[in-house]
Structures are given as structure tokens and as C-alpha cells.
Amino acid sequence: MKIYKDEKGFFSLIDGILAIFIIIIALMIFNTIINMDISQYSEENDDFLTSQDVMEIMAIKLNENTYSTLETIQYKLKSDNNSIQSIKEVAIISGEFLNKTIPNKSYSLVENNQLNGTVIVSNDNLYLAENISTATRNIGKYSFTLYTW
């Protein structure tokens, strides 16, 4: 009963224990936040940059006297009136290019405007893919979309 009569000491003891308890909780929260696995922004956008870069390379002319890969594809499709044979030829051209440019990567090249979403070339099933990134370029009346995953 002597503890209750000495009220200042008892409340100081409770106050000190409460302060230590709050500090321990704060340190545990801080430690948890530091140890969280947060992916870096650059890691998340790696596929996005790959699809953009590859599509940009497909659109670049090596010199003034040559056509870019996308211009070659567009010209072949346009000159043969989007025939099945021209789509097959374009699939070979774009497939060889994509296999050299992004080996060990899944891709799908689609024409959206003139061929109404026809897949020109693909090396994997797009519908089963996760974390898909895209890049789109327009050449003439054709709109090409590259999906990578």
C-alpha cells in the first residue's frame, strides 16, 4: 500500500515504461519498413523500355537509300493488297528481325488498322502472358503494335 501513497514515483514508473514501449514499437515498424522488398522503378519498366526500343529500331532507316523494317513490311503488305502470301512473307521478315533483336523474349507483332488486329508474327501465346508491355508505330495507313513479355 505504500506504493499507492507515493503517487509521483508510481506514475513516473508507468510513464517511463510506456515511453520505452512506444520506442520499441517505433523501432519495430522502422525495421519492418526498411526490410520490405520494394522493386526499383527501373526494374518494373524494363519490359516497357524493351518494347519501345525494339519498335524504334524497327522504324529507323540505316541510311537515306534504304527502308526501315516497318517501311519494308508496310510496303510489302500494301503492294500485295494485304494478301495471305504477303502476310506470310512479312511474318518471315519481322520474325527474323525480332529473333535477332530480342532473343529469349516472347513477342507478338500485330497490325491493327488495315488487317483488323491480325497477328503478323508471334513466338508465344499472348493470352497466357503476364506483365505485357506494348509499343505502337504508324507507317502510312498501317498501325503496328509490338507486345513483349
Side-chain angles (χ1 to χ4, degrees), residues 40-145:
Q40 297 295 324
Y41 182 72
S42 61
E43 292 173 8
E44 292 174 2
N45 289 325
D46 184 43
D47 288 334
F48 172 74
L49 295 175
T50 300
S51 61
Q52 291 293 328
D53 291 345
V54 170
M55 190 58 98
E56 194 65 33
I57 293 169
M58 289 180 82
I60 291 176
K61 291 182 180 183
L62 296 176
N63 59 46
E64 294 179 14
N65 299 328
T66 61
Y67 293 108
S68 70
T69 304
L70 285 179
E71 287 174 332
T72 303
I73 291 169
Q74 180 261 349
Y75 176 76
K76 181 69 91 176
L77 290 171
K78 184 178 178 182
S79 65
D80 291 342
N81 292 324
N82 302 326
S83 68
I84 295 173
Q85 182 61 33
S86 67
I87 294 171
K88 288 179 182 177
E89 291 174 8
V90 165
I92 293 170
I93 294 169
S94 57
E96 288 175 355
F97 177 85
L98 291 170
N99 286 332
K100 288 179 186 175
T101 309
I102 48 174
N104 305 321
K105 195 106 171 123
S106 298
Y107 61 81
S108 184
L109 182 66
V110 177
E111 199 293 317
N112 300 308
N113 197 20
Q114 297 295 313
L115 301 178
N116 298 322
T118 300
V119 175
I120 294 174
V121 65
S122 182
N123 69 348
D124 204 353
N125 190 347
L126 178 63
Y127 298 107
L128 299 177
E130 293 181 12
N131 197 16
I132 299 172
S133 65
T134 64
T136 301
R137 293 290 183 278
N138 297 319
I139 304 291
K141 293 181 179 179
Y142 293 84
S143 176
F144 298 99
T145 301

